[in-house]
Amino acid sequence: MTDAHPPTATTPNALLDTLWRFLRGDMTTSEFEGWTYETPALEALLGPDLYLAVVSTFFSNPEEVDKTRDILERFAREQTDMRCECITLRSLDVVDMGHHEHIFKTLDKLASRGPQYWWLSIEVCRECTQPWLIASEERQNDVFCMRRLSTEEHALFLESGTWPSDFDSYGRLLEIGREAGRSVRWVAPLEAGSVRETIADLAKERPGIGLSELCSLLNLDAQTITTIVEDISDDRNIRVDLQK
Ligand SMILES: [Zn+2]
């Protein structure tokens, strides 16, 4: 017999886990809506009143969804042993430096990648054992990019030292910051050494990168970028397409 539709896990822990996936943003509202209708076992977990409130939510109304999300988050926090914040983080998340202590206090560094990838580390939560790939993007947006690692990825790293490649590109970190709505405002970009370093690295990582893409990634105007590129391209192997 083939089992094309394996039964949805309905143990309280599995249900709570799915609830958290919605709350932290790893599950879309419509996926969550579908799941609530398909999962009658949810009533036993939530109790009749909360269950009714959830299934009668008008999911196409963002305000109603926000309200339901707030109630569910309160419930989920009560039901969860919150000794760490891992469960509240998206599988790919961005955490602002300076607002990261409550998350990082349970993380232990397993490894740093080393000089060529100075921004990369793998950290493991000592409370829930969740491993994270972490990039410290401290040149532009001052954020930590975090990616939940699977058991397999963690095991592979322990066995062979294989690093997941998601955050190898510094340009990718800037894109992730941009997608998360981070855009630093430089007061004196021409004097900031880190801007020069970032432009130089991006031009090496992506030879021929366009001026407009640099403007977007670094949140700087074309004149400023052009000035810096002209300044640093003399003594380095920098290729930027100033017409693009
Ligand atoms: Zn944890």
Side-chain angles (χ1 to χ4, degrees):
M1 195 183 94
T2 58
D3 193 1
H5 298 283
T8 316
T10 53
T11 62
N13 277 347
L15 294 175
L16 200 55
D17 216 50
T18 306
L19 207 54
W20 273 115
R21 292 211 302 119
F22 166 64
L23 292 171
R24 67 182 179 235
D26 278 339
M27 189 184 202
T28 66
T29 300
S30 71
E31 285 168 340
F32 178 72
E33 181 182 13
W35 177 74
T36 60
Y37 301 144
E38 289 162 10
T39 315
L42 198 54
E43 185 169 4
L45 178 74
L46 299 178
D49 294 346
L50 182 52
Y51 178 74
L52 186 64
V54 171
V55 294
S56 59
T57 300
F58 191 45
F59 280 99
S60 52
N61 179 337
E63 280 173 27
E64 275 203 35
V65 175
D66 281 350
K67 223 184 281 174
T68 298
R69 190 189 289 273
D70 285 348
I71 303 168
L72 281 174
E73 179 160 358
R74 235 173 293 148
F75 171 82
R77 281 187 178 272
E78 279 165 17
Q79 297 292 312
T80 309
D81 189 3
M82 300 295 298
R83 285 180 299 175
C84 62
E85 290 291 320
C86 296
I87 204 162
T88 69
L89 295 170
R90 291 178 188 215
S91 290
L92 173 62
D93 215 329
V94 170
V95 174
D96 292 304
M97 291 181 185
H99 295 93
H100 65 285
E101 285 88 356
H102 65 298
I103 293 165
F104 277 63
K105 70 180 181 199
T106 62
L107 302 184
D108 293 323
K109 189 168 284 182
L110 177 66
S112 298
R113 184 90 181 261
Q116 202 195 339
Y117 297 96
W118 53 267
W119 53 90
L120 275 183
S121 64
I122 291 179
E123 313 219 4
V124 179
C125 179
R126 79 183 76 93
E127 294 292 350
C128 72
T129 73
Q130 175 64 55
W132 292 95
L133 177 68
I134 298 181
S136 170
E137 200 288 272
E138 58 199 58
R139 277 187 182 168
Q140 176 72 13
N141 290 314
D142 288 340
V143 292
F144 292 104
C145 299
M146 303 183 62
R147 212 240 317 138
R148 196 182 304 275
L149 294 183
S150 67
T151 312
E152 293 75 20
E153 288 170 318
H154 187 206
L156 185 65
F157 177 77
L158 292 175
E159 267 168 44
S160 61
T162 306
W163 285 76
S165 61
D166 310 52
F167 295 158
D168 283 4
S169 148
Y170 208 83
R172 179 66 196 128
L173 302 184
L174 299 183
E175 286 168 359
I176 292 169
R178 182 175 63 185
E179 284 157 17
R182 306 304 197 278
S183 52
V184 72
R185 294 234 168 267
W186 290 101
V187 179
L190 291 173
E191 278 114 65
S194 68
V195 174
R196 286 161 189 263
E197 289 302 321
T198 308
I199 291 176
D201 284 354
L202 287 172
K204 280 179 211 152
E205 196 175 279
R206 304 175 181 188
I209 188 170
L211 177 62
S212 58
E213 180 64 358
L214 283 175
C215 291
S216 169
L217 285 173
L218 296 166
N219 198 30
L220 288 171
D221 63 88
Q223 185 53 55
T224 303
I225 301 262
T226 304
T227 304
I228 295 173
V229 168
E230 285 170 352
D231 197 31
I232 61 177
S233 58
D234 289 348
D235 50 28
R236 302 193 216 188
N237 187 21
I238 305 283
R239 279 181 48 214
V240 173
D241 186 344
L242 293 173
Q243 309 305 319
K244 213 160 75 183

